[in-house]
């Protein structure tokens, strides 16, 4: 029968099942778990990725630190220990586990770690993760096992950065110091090896018998199948062509699993509170979107409650700040500033600036990255903006790789983005979006945020004590309206009844830890 449950309930149910007696399907221990998703990697090289390619990286590469299930602070992985030296949070020292090797047999030692970090900064790929290392000044080695990171300024978030899949450790012999790897191969030291990869189709993962880290794989391999849209991946789940689905289910599909149980036998759904967010980005170089009055008018018109009711049907929550609920420092800044949607107030902003109506705006979105529900979301945004009588909206959509190339070149006036956190800290919902070089490839210079608030907060090791800085940062974001938060999602893992571990599979970065999935059968 169909089951819907929270993490806590699933955990309890699994414990009961284990007490009653559970095991692998007889003769099926070698059959890989098949996971379906609409989120295909944009690259296989960690030095080029600040996006959902991390889903694959987490499983085939290793990082110095990571987030074991249930942890809120990063723990050692490839490292045996990591800690700050001194009181200034400017030197971070990691000692590696002994005997680590990459999947090609090369040693994973201190020099390989230094190579991995140096190449990220040297390549500095557009849209890549170099921005996460803005505080890093130098990487030094001390013998074969010790790596010392010298920071140019205090940064209490640096351990969190080390735990992101962007900081995946790579074999120096396979990854050039000054160029991206382009042969389609992967050489890591994670729980799995990448046995094969077909773009747009699938990735075959097999267990890495030489892996040494915190993960305890519960299966012998995983096949990740990539689907072009939500309908295709959902159909594959219902036909049992995949065992589990993560990323890509629409709200209608989630509701169908919840409400039409008799038609969806032998399927289960795990729901968790997510910290992933959706928002609009305004390009200051555009004739319309570059005007503050236009941005304020859009912010005043957008009705998040209607958007969620019509498109996401309870599978998301309104978001009024870039820092979501569940993360320290969360506020409701946009609601405090704008209150309920009002076309009259929005027109007042435009009239005061001498801007005639309707204002032409082109809104861009990706057709495949976040699931097929994105198209419906932008249709609803267009309706709201045009019904105000203040805007004339054109919608444009492209598949992720083309969409990404376009916004990186500054081609879009307004575009929609999603953010899956690098780590669970308010810094990660502000810092990536500001500065001349940021994760959006849309310069946003805010001297108070980058020059004072972020540096102040990064001196504080107790991350629960940085609320004042981030409350002010969020108020600045409201005043500038360069980013407009829309909604915060809930996370779902749908699977067949014989798959366990879904409640443990999502780490605090909302990245799927494939090794937690397993085949079970009650006796």
């Amino acid at each position: 029968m169909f089951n819907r449950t929270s993490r806590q309930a699933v955990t309890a149910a699994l414990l009961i099942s284990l007490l009653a007696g559970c095991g692998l399907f007889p003769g099926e221990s070698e059959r890989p778990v098949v996971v379906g998703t609409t989120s295909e990697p944009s690259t296989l090289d960690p030095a080029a990725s600040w996006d959902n390619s991390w889903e694959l990286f987490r499983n085939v590469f290793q990082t110095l630190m990571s987030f074991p299930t249930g942890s809120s602070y990063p723990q050692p992985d490839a490292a045996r220990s990591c800690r700050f030296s001194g009181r200034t949070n400017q030197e971070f020292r990691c000692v590696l586990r002994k005997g680590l090797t990459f999947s090609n047999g090369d040693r994973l030692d201190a020099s390989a770690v230094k190579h991995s970090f140096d190449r990220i900064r040297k390549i500095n790929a557009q849209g890549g993760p170099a921005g996460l290392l803005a505080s890093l000044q130098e990487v030094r080695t001390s013998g074969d096992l010790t790596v010392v990171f010298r920071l140019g300024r205090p940064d209490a978030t640096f351990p969190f950065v080390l735990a992101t899949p962007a900081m995946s450790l790579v074999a120096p012999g396979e990854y050039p110091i000054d160029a991206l790897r382009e042969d389609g191969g992967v050489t890591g030291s994670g729980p799995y090896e990448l046995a094969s990869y077909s773009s747009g189709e699938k990735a075959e993962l097999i267990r890495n018998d030489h892996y040494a880290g915190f993960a305890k794989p519960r299966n012998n391999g995983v096949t990740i199948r990539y689907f072009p849209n939500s309908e295709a991946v959902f159909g594959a789940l219902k036909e049992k062509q995949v065992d589990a689905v993560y990323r890509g289910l629409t709200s209608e599909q989630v509701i169908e699993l919840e409400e039409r149980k008799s038609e969806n036998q032998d399927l289960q759904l795990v729901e968790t509170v997510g910290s992933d967010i959706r928002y609009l980005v305004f390009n200051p170089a555009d004739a319309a979107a570059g005007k503050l009055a236009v941005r304020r008018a859009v912010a005043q018109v957008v009705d998040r409650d209607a958007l969620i009711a019509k498109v996401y049907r309870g599978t998301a929550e309104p978001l009024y700040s870039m820092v979501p609920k569940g993360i320290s420092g969360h506020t409701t800044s946009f609601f405090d500033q704008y209150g309920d949607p009002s076309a009259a107030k929005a027109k007042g902003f435009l009239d005061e600036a001498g801007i005639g109506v309707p204002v032409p705006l082109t809104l861009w979105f990706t057709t495949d990255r976040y699931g097929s529900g994105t198209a419906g979301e932008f249709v609803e945004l267009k309706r709201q903006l045009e019904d105000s009588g203040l805007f004339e909206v054109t919608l444009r959509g492209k598949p992720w790789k083309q969409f990404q190339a376009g916004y990186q070149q500054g081609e879009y006036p307004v575009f929609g983005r999603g953010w899956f956190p690098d780590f669970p800290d308010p810094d990660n919902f502000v810092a990536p979006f500001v500065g001349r070089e940021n994760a959006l490839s849309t310069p946003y210079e805010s001297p108070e945020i980058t020059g004072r608030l972020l540096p102040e907060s990064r001196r504080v090791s107790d991350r629960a004590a940085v609320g004042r800085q981030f409350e002010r940062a969020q108020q600045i974001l409201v005043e500038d309206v360069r980013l407009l938060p829309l909604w915060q999602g809930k996370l779902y893992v749908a699977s067949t009844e014989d798959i366990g571990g879904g409640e443990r599979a999502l780490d605090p970065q909302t990245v799927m830890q494939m090794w937690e999935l397993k085949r079970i059968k009650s006796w």
Side-chain angles (χ1 to χ4, degrees):
M1 64 179 293
F2 172 80
N3 296 291
R4 180 191 180 205
T5 175
S6 66
R7 278 192 180 187
Q8 292 82 358
V10 171
T11 302
L14 286 177
L15 288 173
I16 293 172
S17 297
L18 287 170
L19 290 172
C22 282
L24 292 170
F25 280 109
E28 292 192 334
S29 61
E30 300 301 321
R31 187 157 66 95
V33 174
V34 182
V35 177
T37 179
T38 60
S39 185
E40 181 188 359
S42 63
T43 176
L44 297 182
D45 192 327
S49 171
W50 201 346
D51 59 25
N52 283 355
S53 301
W54 289 10
E55 209 78 65
L56 179 62
F57 295 170
R58 172 57 76 211
N59 293 278
V60 297
F61 292 105
Q62 207 170 3
T63 47
L64 288 171
M65 305 185 77
S66 192
F67 283 99
T69 300
S71 64
S72 58
Y73 192 85
Q75 306 296 320
D77 185 7
R80 176 165 55 85
S81 64
C82 289
R83 63 180 179 84
F84 277 109
S85 302
R87 299 181 179 179
T88 63
N89 291 342
Q90 286 188 257
E91 184 174 282
F92 197 73
R93 182 179 297 263
C94 289
V95 179
L96 296 174
R97 298 174 186 262
K98 293 181 179 179
L100 293 177
T101 61
F102 290 103
S103 57
N104 66 351
D106 290 353
R107 293 177 61 195
L108 197 175
D109 56 14
S111 63
V113 174
K114 174 176 168 58
H115 176 88
S116 300
F117 283 83
D118 286 349
R119 72 185 296 266
I120 291 174
R121 297 199 297 159
K122 187 174 183 65
I123 294 172
N124 193 21
Q126 185 175 27
L132 284 170
L133 296 174
S135 64
L136 180 59
Q137 188 174 72
E138 179 187 14
V139 184
R140 302 195 306 268
T141 62
S142 178
D144 290 339
L145 297 179
T146 301
V147 185
V148 180
F149 298 92
R150 178 64 182 170
L151 308 182
R153 55 184 181 270
D155 187 358
T157 70
F158 193 71
F160 292 86
V161 172
L162 293 185
T164 67
M167 304 301 132
S168 295
L169 305 177
V170 299
E174 305 283 353
Y175 292 82
I177 190 67
D178 57 356
L180 297 175
R181 181 173 179 174
E182 297 181 348
D183 65 356
V186 165
T187 308
S189 60
Y192 299 99
E193 296 181 39
L194 182 63
S196 66
Y197 177 77
S198 300
S199 179
E201 297 181 15
K202 64 181 179 179
E204 299 276 3
L205 310 185
I206 59 175
R207 280 184 65 163
N208 177 7
D209 292 333
H210 301 290
Y211 166 73
F214 77 89
K216 307 298 180 187
R218 297 165 180 249
N219 56 63
N220 283 331
V222 174
T223 297
I224 307 173
R225 289 187 57 192
Y226 302 111
F227 291 86
N229 53 54
S230 300
E231 289 70 25
V233 72
F234 189 51
L237 176 67
K238 295 174 73 173
E239 295 296 324
K240 308 299 191 297
Q241 296 171 0
V242 299
D243 299 307
V245 172
Y246 174 55
R247 296 212 196 282
L249 293 179
T250 65
S251 58
E252 289 83 5
Q253 290 163 351
V254 171
I255 298 300
E256 178 179 336
L257 288 175
E258 292 176 320
E259 296 180 350
R260 296 164 62 182
K261 300 177 183 179
S262 62
E263 300 175 24
N264 296 291
Q265 295 182 358
D266 302 325
L267 296 180
Q268 58 184 336
L269 190 70
V270 175
E271 174 190 313
T272 67
V273 176
S275 54
D276 61 311
I277 65 173
R278 297 294 187 277
Y279 56 97
L280 295 179
V281 183
F282 294 91
N283 188 343
D286 180 69
K291 296 176 180 177
L292 176 59
V294 171
R295 301 195 300 269
R296 294 181 70 189
V298 172
Q300 186 65 70
V301 166
V302 168
D303 188 337
R304 294 166 177 82
D305 288 328
L307 175 66
I308 289 170
K310 292 184 178 181
V311 181
Y312 293 106
R313 301 179 61 190
T315 62
E317 296 182 72
L319 183 63
Y320 294 97
S321 113
M322 290 298 289
V323 179
K325 293 179 181 177
I327 301 295
S328 62
H330 167 73
T331 68
T332 55
S333 306
F334 273 88
F335 184 82
D336 298 341
Q337 181 81 14
Y338 293 99
D340 293 326
S342 170
K345 290 181 180 178
K347 188 173 188 303
F349 296 143
L350 298 174
D351 289 345
E352 185 177 353
I355 298 173
V357 297
V359 178
L361 280 181
T362 300
L363 274 57
W364 285 83
F365 62 94
T366 174
T367 57
D368 57 356
R369 192 60 168 180
Y370 312 121
S372 304
T374 307
E377 174 181 339
F378 276 77
V379 169
E380 172 61 14
L381 288 173
K382 172 183 170 72
R383 184 199 67 77
Q384 292 181 12
L385 293 172
E386 291 191 335
D387 281 0
S388 72
L390 305 177
F391 298 95
E392 184 178 291
V393 177
T394 301
L395 298 182
R396 295 282 185 267
K398 285 185 177 181
W400 173 252
K401 290 186 178 180
Q402 299 174 39
F403 174 79
Q404 184 182 43
Y407 78 69
Q408 287 178 349
Q409 296 300 318
E411 296 176 1
Y412 307 151
V414 186
F415 58 97
R417 279 296 310 269
W419 184 251
F420 303 97
D422 304 324
F423 47 85
D425 187 275
D427 187 285
N428 195 236
F429 292 91
V430 175
F433 310 125
V434 296
R436 175 159 291 279
E437 295 183 5
N438 59 47
L440 303 172
S441 300
T442 305
Y444 177 12
E445 297 192 48
S446 177
E448 185 177 355
I449 294 178
T450 58
R452 183 173 69 83
L453 297 173
L454 290 177
E456 278 184 7
S457 71
R458 289 170 178 173
R459 296 190 187 99
V460 181
S461 296
D462 180 2
R463 302 308 295 164
V466 294
R468 178 178 58 82
Q469 289 89 351
F470 285 101
E471 286 176 10
R472 174 57 188 154
Q474 290 172 84
Q475 185 56 40
I476 294 171
L477 297 180
V478 169
E479 293 167 0
D480 294 341
V481 204
R482 288 285 305 279
L483 308 165
L484 184 63
L486 297 174
W487 56 269
Q488 172 179 353
K490 298 177 182 178
L491 299 179
Y492 298 90
V493 177
S495 69
T496 56
E497 192 177 44
D498 62 311
I499 295 296
E503 79 289 349
R504 294 177 54 85
L506 304 182
D507 72 6
Q509 299 160 305
T510 69
V511 172
M512 175 75 92
Q513 302 177 139
M514 302 291 180
W515 60 83
E516 294 286 1
L517 300 177
K518 62 180 180 180
R519 296 189 181 280
I520 57 174
K521 181 181 181 180
S522 298
W523 297 332

